[in-house]
Amino acid sequence: STMNVKIISAVFALALAIIVALIICVLSRSPRCAQHQGIQVEHDDRSLLFSDLSNEELMTVKNYLKKHLNLVDISSAKPSDNYIYYIEVQLPKKRDVLMFLDQNAEKPNREALAVVIFGAQSQPNITEYIVGPLPNPIYHTDVTSEKYGSLDFNSRPFGLTEFSWINSEFIEKELAKASKMVKDSFDGNFFAALMSAPMGLTPGKRQSWFVFYRNLSGVYLHPTGLEILVDFSSVNISEWHVKKVLYNGKYFEKLEDLEDSYEKGTVEKTTFNNSDLNYGSLKPPHPPSGTAPLEYEPQGKRYSVKNNQVKSLLWSFSFGQNAATGLRLFDIRFNGERIIYELSIQEALSVYGSNTAGAMLTRYMDASFGIGKHSYELVRGVDCPYTATYLDSYRFFEASEPMRFKNSICIFEHNTAVPLRRHYASSHYGGLTNSVLIIRTIATIGNYDYVWDYMFYQNGAIEAKVHATGYIYAAYLFGDGLKYGTKVRTNTLGTIHTHFVHYKVDLDIVGTNNLFVTRDMDFEKINVPWDSDQQREIPRLIENLIKTEDQAAFALHSNSPRYLLFASNKTNDWGHRRSYRIQIVSFAGDHMPKTTSEEKGMSWGRFKMAVTKHKDEEPSSSSIHNQNNPWKPAVNFADFINNENIVEEDLVAWITTGFLHIPHSEDIPNTVTVGNGVGFLLRPYNYFKEDPSIYSPDAVFIDGEWDTNDCMFNPVACLSKTASCSPDLPPFTHHWFKEEVATFGN
């Protein structure tokens, strides 16, 4: 009994001690940071003109089309059915938009674009409709001929629905014809993770090599050596058939032939190192030891988001997420003045080399698969800063109804930790924090991940940048495979490939009547004025006004002028044309030779930059239909360049950037973003009287005669006071200039 009392007393004392400790801990904790309201700005609902279709609008268009056309939902459709593939906002003509935005003209109709696959017709076809006006549509106008002339039915995009048809209705049954090879080689632990594209070697075909991988973490790094060429051109599944089989570098007519050779021992069996299976996993080998540094906003967010518009103290723009081409911006203004009408991704292209069938034929054009469609939820604190603003988006792309992608767009302000400008003198210091406003999405398209950024600087500059990460496309290593890449694991070849990205930049510099001007340098030999016996060569300025589209189309690796300027005839205070400079950052590989038959479908890759006259009928440099019929593409960008006059016209810049990727062992498990970022900058060039960032509230000026803690021109000195809840910041110190002088004096 005494023992029980002692035990109860001890337990009670321990519980009391824990409660007291918890109370002390809670009371001693720092208060939670107050949620600052941030800046207050007035938004303009006219930005909704550029907004994506809402969930309700997408459903309205779907229901309208189903009422007027003989359609089934894609989820239950067979290749021989009619179904909606894609619904997207149809943007109005630029002239009508500018009249509405700038002159209070009537608001243009809101319309949708719908891509419908008609597999049940006597002549199967692809038809594109304009549906409108929303929210209560009364028409669906066929615009296919107007846009493309004609579309081959087999040029339609290939998606997950068709992939599942082929796997479940065809490949699984075909593999039963080589059951011994399947069991011995793979033990059933594999599946077709990739397929070649475009589909076939000539127009009108729908054939693809399906490349099989072991079903392990980082599947793309585990090729099996088995590839099957399937012809699925017919809408009748019973007519699909195998055309060729590749196993460990040897070709067969059909799977039965492979099985026969396998049983006779006349084909070498693929081998794997089963002790090294996790090299593709992204699971850390050790638990994380801490948390990475966080962005901190001491006085709340300095930008505001409403609907599809972002506004900061300096910038405003409208945004949308096109399901095919991804993130795009409109009506970009600096201090209220429009700089850009449209800034958008057009296409992302990868061309592969290999001695394996699937890779050697592969030229992936990602818009066909959906750059925006594959922009999924962003991970807070990794993909974007923890405190960023996260937004949802809706897309109707190869689906039966609109799909909501939560937190698929992020917006944040970022301190680059490199001063935008600074100077130190013996009596004072002046500097400016480089705070950048960024909008971002990340698309995962098969094996690769692309981080898409648009960045806005305080000096009026804009940067478009893309980083590549994700998994490399690995092929089974056999024969002369090392001619086409790098060995990264046993029997695994990292295949050589290119990355090309195409952008559209519709700049409006002080209006739409613009010029394209180039500046560069050469050396001029002169007589020295004070000594006529001496000559010197000195740099001088070379300036040219480019007059035609042909002159403004610069070949990919040509020595183009280093200053490429979109200019106005309006001048700044010093008499120079107000301009913006285009500065491309790229280390692209070579584009496909023009003699290659499919090059027409990606002809934009010929040019590092081309300038054309704006046309509403030339809205995009590529098409979702180009991937599978590049021989007779729906859009051939080279046709845009037809020597038209570009002097004092509404001009568009089309920019190509990219990099050559020769894989290396450090691409395992993932390609890192470091060194794999490319893009371009748009920089003010005589656009202003002076650098507009001089008015930034982030500027710091320290004068040797002032008190160190004077906050008037040094806001960082009082950060711990002005922010109601801040990290444990050390006191601001600067040892002024007297100690510097004293040091020199010694």
Side-chain angles (χ1 to χ4, degrees), residues 410-426:
C410 73
I411 301 163
F412 57 95
E413 192 176 11
H414 170 62
N415 183 342
T416 67
V418 177
L420 183 63
R421 52 175 169 76
R422 61 95 70 192
H423 183 67
Y424 180 88
S426 61

Side-chain angles (χ1 to χ4, degrees), residues 56-80:
E56 292 75 20
E57 288 175 319
L58 289 167
M59 286 302 298
T60 296
V61 174
K62 174 194 170 180
N63 292 333
Y64 171 86
L65 289 173
K66 288 195 73 174
K67 179 180 177 182
H68 290 81
L69 304 172
N70 180 27
L71 304 176
V72 300
D73 283 351
I74 195 172
S75 60
S76 58
K78 300 184 296 296
S80 55

Side-chain angles (χ1 to χ4, degrees), residues 119 318 384 553:
S318 303
C384 305

